[in-house]
Every structure is written in C-alpha cells, then in structure tokens.
Amino acid sequence: MNQSFSQTQKENKSIANNKTLAIDCMGGDFGPSVIIPAALKALANHSDLHLFLVGKEEEISPLIKKHPGFHERIHLQDTREVIAMDEKPSRAIRSKADSSLRKAIELVKDGQAQACVSAGNTGALMALATLLLGTLSGVERPAIVAELPNRQGTETHMLDLGANIEATSEQLATFGVMGSVLAEAISEQVTKPKVALLNIGEEAIKGRDSIKLAAGLLQQQADLNYCGYIEANQIFNGDVDVIVCDGFTGNNVLKASEGITRFLYDRLKAEFDSSWKNKLAALMVKPVLNAFKKRINPDQYNGASLLGLREIVIKSHGSADEKATLAAINKAIIEIERQVPQKIQNKISDLLNAQETSE
C-alpha cells in the first residue's frame, strides 16, 4: 500500500512550487540506514525540497518517524521488490515492475518528481531510465558523467564513465556538447568550458578513427571551446573542464583513479605509523593530512549524472556513506535549479546541423 505523510489536496498542490526528488531508498550496499539520514539532512538544508522516499515501508518508516518536523515534505512510496546489485538489467525490466528503482523513475516520468537519485544497479538504472524517460532529441545514447578533482582546485567533468562500452564519432561529439553544457550550467566560474578528447597522444594523426572524426565534428561547433586531444597523464592537471571518451575507457580511468587515491593515502598513513618518530611528525602535520584527505576523498564528488535523458537521473555510488549520498542528492538539486536537460537540448540542434554539413 502506498502511503504519504502529507496527502491533503492543499499539500499535494504545494509540491509543484518546490523542488521534488524521488529517492530509491533500497539501492546500494546500505539501503535506508544510510540513505534516509542523508535525505533528512537534505530536507534540513533546503526548505523548498520535497522527497518521495521509495522502498519498503517497514524499513523506511521507523527512520523518518523520529523526525516529525519533516513529515509534510516527505512522501513515502511503498514498494515490495528490490533489484539486486548484480542482477541482469534485462531481468529487472521484465520481472520487477514493483521495484524501488523502477518506481522512483516512474515518479519522474509521471511528473510527480523532477529528478531521481539511486545507488542501485547501474545497468538497470540506465536501462530503465532510458526506456521510461527516453533520450533528448538527437541523443542516441545517454552518457554517465562525474567530476574529478584537479590541480587547479576545481573539478573536471569526464564522460562517458561506463554507459557505452563503445562510442561512435557522433556519440563522442554529442558527449562533448552535453558535458560542456553541464560544466557551464553548474559552475559559477566557468563560462566557456574547455573540452578535450581523451587520446593516446596529442598529435592529430593519433588514435582511433572514431576519435579523429569526433574531433572534426567538435571543431565545427563555433560556440564550443574545443581544445583538441588530452592524454591520460593530463587528466588531473585542470587544463580542461570536460574530458570525453567511450565508456570502457572512462570507467577504467575512474576505477584506477579511485584505487590510486586509496593506495596513496593508505601508504602515507602506514609510513606515519611505522615508528614513534613518524607518529610524532604525523601529529605536527595532521591538519595538512586532513586537508589532503578531504581534497582527494571521492565521496564529495559522489553522484554521476545520466546525461542525455529527458529528465534528471543521478547515480550514487553503491558503497556511498551518508555524506556521499547527500552529495548525490545535492547534485540532483543543482541540476533541477540550472535546468540542465533543457539547456542540453537547446545545444544539440547545433551539433546536428554541423554533422549534416560535414556529410
């Protein structure tokens, strides 16, 4: 049975004047125990925020009953099924019509919510979001984009991070346009985002044919700040704002980056713990270490956008803790405020015209 803590006609009408998210509370490694506290924090931080909390009522209700001050902005959507993290997307689509992940997306499709946030099965999320919401006109396939820290103290947007194992030149060019729009929309400092293609060299003759053709298409975009190729060892320099690649490459770069981050911090900590002299030194540099950890901590960048869909869908990391989950929710709020899908759609037509001219 579907329940809500605010069911009156007056309260339901008020949702239209606020930001409304549908949150899959059963996704990820920790489910409601982590997602609900993060959702409550988001409500405390945003007075105009309403949330559809989607999942098993018996697991969600006890966590939110302790916070009666938010009940008028919480709408509980009871579902009976959960898509497992290792479940095949095709099976999830066919056999789990009452899953929390699907229902969260359907709330967006039906116009009751403006965005969906889920830490669930990535393949199922992508497949269901594409099926139910559809892609923007001119977008063949959505792409997953996330932020990476860089030496400049800002963030670099990288896509695709796993939605498309292979990508055509047209798709890569579309990713570049979408990434540029996102970078400009959510940043107050960036006005003409620098876009680059990830390649095995900076020379024009290097790389796959699809990358070379994509470069040509991006060069034809007069209002796009395309800067050419970038190599993997330049990803974290901060020289560009958007890095474009296929999903196979991007996902490997992301996982390697997360791994090296953990390795460096663990090794540094182990060295400081290796002797009493080093432990004493660690006390002296503790503020520096804490600042370093905070700067490279992937949690603050949690929340990957599924760009190219008609609506906003944010993928939270499966192992996200409360802080990381809140970061994903905040990302959805920002994209609602900046109207990211609408801005992307406005730019895609220019790319299509350039492609027709080059044929």
Side-chain angles (χ1 to χ4, degrees):
M1 179 178 68
N2 295 333
Q3 288 189 342
S4 168
F5 285 99
S6 56
Q7 290 291 328
T8 68
Q9 184 177 11
K10 180 179 179 181
E11 287 170 333
N12 286 334
K13 281 183 177 179
S14 71
I15 298 177
N17 300 320
N18 296 281
K19 292 185 282 288
T20 308
L21 304 183
I23 300 181
D24 169 18
C25 296
M26 310 307 296
D29 298 339
F30 308 110
S33 64
V34 161
I35 296 171
I36 298 303
L40 293 172
K41 228 169 229 190
L43 287 169
N45 295 338
H46 301 274
S47 60
D48 61 344
L49 179 65
H50 281 249
L51 296 179
F52 282 97
L53 301 181
V54 187
K56 294 183 178 181
E57 177 192 347
E58 64 272 20
E59 295 186 34
I60 298 173
S61 288
L63 297 172
I64 57 180
K65 282 181 178 178
K66 302 175 184 178
H67 303 272
F70 296 131
H71 284 185
E72 65 179 13
R73 293 191 282 139
I74 292 175
H75 312 273
L76 176 56
Q77 186 79 44
D78 182 44
T79 59
R80 295 290 87 198
E81 296 176 316
V82 178
I83 297 175
M85 296 298 282
D86 59 350
E87 195 165 344
K88 289 185 178 180
S90 57
R91 184 180 183 279
I93 292 174
R94 291 195 309 269
S95 63
K96 292 195 172 179
D98 192 39
S99 68
S100 57
L101 191 155
R102 182 176 188 126
K103 178 53 67 176
I105 298 173
E106 287 179 345
L107 286 166
V108 178
K109 177 187 177 184
D110 296 340
Q112 297 184 66
Q114 297 161 290
C116 164
V117 179
S118 175
N121 183 309
T122 303
L125 180 66
M126 176 63 76
L128 283 168
T130 303
L131 175 67
L132 297 175
L133 302 177
T135 58
L136 295 169
S137 178
V139 176
E140 293 181 15
R141 290 276 300 170
I144 299 175
V145 59
E147 300 168 3
L148 301 176
N150 61 51
R151 292 179 180 177
Q152 308 295 330
T154 57
E155 289 79 40
T156 301
H157 296 78
M158 189 169 183
L159 70 164
D160 178 26
L161 296 180
N164 308 278
I165 300 302
E166 297 180 349
T168 65
S169 56
E170 290 81 6
Q171 289 170 340
L172 290 172
T174 301
F175 297 166
V177 172
M178 294 194 300
S180 176
V181 173
L182 177 67
E184 186 169 3
I186 68 175
S187 174
E188 297 179 356
Q189 291 80 32
V190 179
T191 55
K192 288 284 287 184
K194 296 178 180 178
V195 179
L197 286 164
L198 185 62
N199 204 352
I200 58 172
E202 295 185 47
E203 299 84 1
I205 62 172
K206 294 286 185 70
R208 299 171 179 167
D209 288 341
S210 60
I211 296 176
K212 297 175 187 176
L213 292 171
L217 291 172
L218 291 171
Q219 286 171 345
Q220 295 175 37
Q221 296 300 297
D223 59 346
L224 187 74
N225 192 3
Y226 175 63
C227 301
Y229 299 146
I230 190 172
E231 296 184 76
N233 62 347
Q234 300 170 306
I235 289 175
F236 299 97
N237 287 354
D239 297 329
V240 298
D241 303 295
V242 180
I243 299 175
V244 179
C245 59
D246 60 66
F248 183 87
T249 303
N251 191 266
N252 277 303
V253 168
L254 181 65
K255 296 295 174 58
S257 301
E258 292 174 347
I260 195 65
T261 297
R262 287 191 294 269
F263 169 76
L264 288 174
Y265 186 79
D266 289 345
R267 287 308 307 159
L268 189 61
K269 188 174 183 297
E271 290 297 328
F272 279 120
D273 290 340
S274 63
S275 69
W276 70 267
K277 290 183 179 180
N278 287 355
K279 289 180 180 179
L280 183 61
L283 290 175
M284 298 175 65
V285 298
K286 187 176 180 179
V288 177
L289 288 175
N290 288 338
F292 173 71
K293 181 181 180 180
K294 182 179 180 181
R295 180 61 189 151
I296 66 173
N297 187 355
D299 288 351
Q300 65 180 310
Y301 304 103
N302 182 49
S305 304
L306 273 58
L307 284 192
L309 296 171
R310 292 184 181 275
E311 306 293 343
I312 298 166
V313 177
I314 303 295
K315 172 66 175 72
S316 177
H317 201 291
S319 61
D321 60 12
E322 182 181 328
K323 182 178 179 181
T325 302
L326 179 60
I329 294 172
N330 287 336
K331 191 162 291 186
I333 293 171
I334 291 173
E335 292 199 19
I336 290 172
E337 293 174 341
R338 308 294 168 82
Q339 300 181 319
V340 170
Q342 295 92 322
K343 289 180 179 178
I344 290 176
Q345 185 64 86
N346 292 338
K347 289 288 185 181
I348 292 298
S349 59
D350 294 337
L351 176 63
L352 293 176
N353 291 335
Q355 291 175 0
E356 291 175 359
T357 302
S358 65
E359 292 177 353

